[in-house]
Amino acid sequence: AEVRRLLGALARHPGLDDALCAPALERDYRPGSRIGDWVVDGTLGRGGQGVVLRTHRIVGEFRQDGALKTLGTPDPEGTRRLLRERQLLAGLSHPGLPALLDGGVLEDGTPWFVQAYVEGERLDTWATRTSPDLATRIALLRQLAAVLIHAHGRLVLHRDLKPGNVLVDGNNRAVLLDFGVASWLPASQTRTQAGYTPAYAAPEQIRGERGSAATDVYGLGALALELLGDRRPFAEYSDTAAQLRAVLEQPPLLPAALDADLRAILGKALRKEPEARYQSVAALDADFARWQGGLPVEARAGGRRYRFGKWLRRHRLPVAAALAVVLALSLGLAVALQQREQAR
């Protein structure tokens, strides 16, 4: 009813919406303009209230390229989130994260910060272009897991894992971006109802509940589902409302082409209940490591036959050699016995 009343007021006063928005139009960061010591080269992207600019500065005899993040329009909530993101990044240092280079405030008090510029492609674009094999995809997921383990060790949740927030550089190294909706791990500070991407959001994010390490486990599982299965989670739902209901109520479709172990890993990472998932990204990463090594994965409740089969596949060459020796000895024994019988 309130929305209808406001829309009715706009209908009675043509042009009022433009007049109200005029003072808050997004800043125009033209190439060549300066923010602190940084010269703007262009715009890398805009999203929500934020804008990311490609910049550079000259330090002594060296040029340093950076990605500068600030607000397109002044806003108290956006300012609070940007300051929090800057503080979170200041406590992180990992090869899978762009280094924090600088920070400051504009004349009107709007904060900004600069991270090292990363030359790379979005995760999904890279996967489509290069068609990497399964082993390369798993290795990339484990790189992202290492970044998240580092962040969780410093009590930081990312909470917005999606292909657009992952760049893959020329060395096939994954770099995690955008901690704009990240938060501290203590439960009292992690309640939120905004900032998620529906297809990759954990059910507790949609319900507005407190986050935990299991929230990023779900996000990494959703990324893994797309990277390993070449399909977005809940892609069968085109309507946003239906997609949100599916995230809350329906299990995701797991690719039949993947082997049973990988399906079990994805299934456990994408459980609806946080307590039913891997309780840490490290536990999820450990199962990926077991899969790489041909070991039984914890996500799959296999019996002796399953474990023996995994052992057999890991040691197939020695087993094959032993069987060949046994077969040769058996054939030799059979021939010797036959010759003995003929001699008798």
Side-chain angles (χ1 to χ4, degrees):
E2 178 70 9
V3 171
R4 290 194 184 97
R5 187 185 68 78
L6 292 171
L7 291 174
L10 286 177
R12 292 192 298 274
H13 301 279
L16 179 61
D17 51 346
D18 295 330
L20 290 173
C21 291
L25 289 174
E26 289 190 341
R27 296 187 183 91
D28 184 13
Y29 297 101
R30 290 185 174 88
S33 59
R34 299 183 70 91
I35 300 177
D37 296 330
W38 298 86
V39 180
V40 176
D41 297 323
T43 301
L44 291 173
R46 293 179 183 267
Q49 300 162 314
V51 57
V52 181
L53 308 170
R54 180 164 183 173
T55 59
H56 76 274
R57 69 177 175 182
I58 305 299
V59 182
E61 299 179 355
F62 301 97
R63 174 188 168 111
Q64 203 170 26
D65 292 315
L68 185 149
K69 186 171 184 179
T70 186
L71 298 178
T73 56
D75 176 83
E77 173 62 18
T79 297
R80 185 184 68 81
R81 288 172 60 174
L82 195 67
L83 287 171
R84 181 182 62 189
E85 181 179 3
R86 189 169 71 178
Q87 185 61 43
L88 290 171
L89 291 172
L92 301 177
S93 177
H94 190 276
L97 293 171
L100 184 65
L101 302 179
D102 197 6
V105 293
L106 301 175
E107 292 180 357
D108 62 1
T110 302
W112 55 269
F113 64 85
V114 183
Q115 290 180 279
Y117 176 73
V118 178
E119 189 73 51
E121 289 182 284
R122 279 175 50 125
L123 178 63
D124 48 359
T125 305
W126 168 83
T128 301
R129 182 182 63 82
T130 63
S131 298
D133 58 22
L134 187 58
T136 302
R137 295 173 192 245
I138 294 291
L140 204 71
L141 288 170
R142 295 199 62 201
Q143 291 179 31
L144 289 173
V147 178
L148 291 171
I149 291 169
H150 169 79
H152 289 184
R154 283 148 184 80
L155 303 181
V156 176
L157 289 176
H158 189 278
R159 300 197 302 181
D160 194 19
L161 296 168
K162 59 184 179 182
N165 285 342
V166 178
L167 289 182
V168 183
D169 66 15
N171 297 318
N172 288 347
R173 180 176 63 96
V175 180
L176 183 60
L177 308 176
D178 198 352
F179 280 71
V181 298
S183 73
W184 304 107
L185 258 173
S188 60
Q189 301 181 36
T190 58
R191 185 183 295 275
T192 183
Q193 295 187 13
Y196 58 77
T197 304
Y200 305 91
E204 62 269 22
Q205 287 179 279
I206 295 173
R207 291 192 294 264
E209 298 171 354
R210 292 186 175 95
S212 67
T215 304
D216 278 351
V217 168
Y218 186 99
L220 186 58
L223 259 183
L225 176 58
E226 179 165 1
L227 187 59
L228 302 180
D230 293 320
R231 64 184 306 276
R232 291 183 62 190
F234 303 103
E236 62 272 22
Y237 299 94
S238 56
D239 177 70
T240 302
Q243 191 176 70
L244 290 175
R245 285 196 300 271
V247 172
L248 292 172
E249 301 169 3
Q250 303 295 328
L253 296 177
L254 302 178
L258 291 179
D259 67 36
D261 285 352
L262 285 177
R263 289 200 304 272
I265 292 173
L266 294 179
K268 184 169 182 176
L270 294 171
R271 298 273 174 83
K272 303 298 179 188
E273 308 80 11
E275 62 275 8
R277 299 175 207 142
Y278 295 97
Q279 290 306 290
S280 68
V281 174
L284 171 57
D285 180 61
D287 245 4
F288 278 135
R290 291 187 190 96
W291 181 87
Q292 286 178 318
L295 296 167
V297 299
E298 294 296 327
R300 189 172 174 189
R304 292 181 179 178
R305 182 176 178 181
Y306 164 71
R307 295 182 179 278
F308 177 72
K310 299 293 287 186
W311 179 89
L312 202 59
R313 281 190 288 274
R314 290 199 310 275
H315 301 90
R316 55 184 177 274
L317 291 179
V319 170
L323 287 176
V325 171
V326 170
L327 182 60
L329 290 174
S330 299
L331 289 174
L333 180 61
V335 170
L337 290 175
Q338 183 183 21
Q339 291 176 344
R340 177 181 136 184
E341 189 62 28
Q342 288 176 347
R344 180 179 296 170

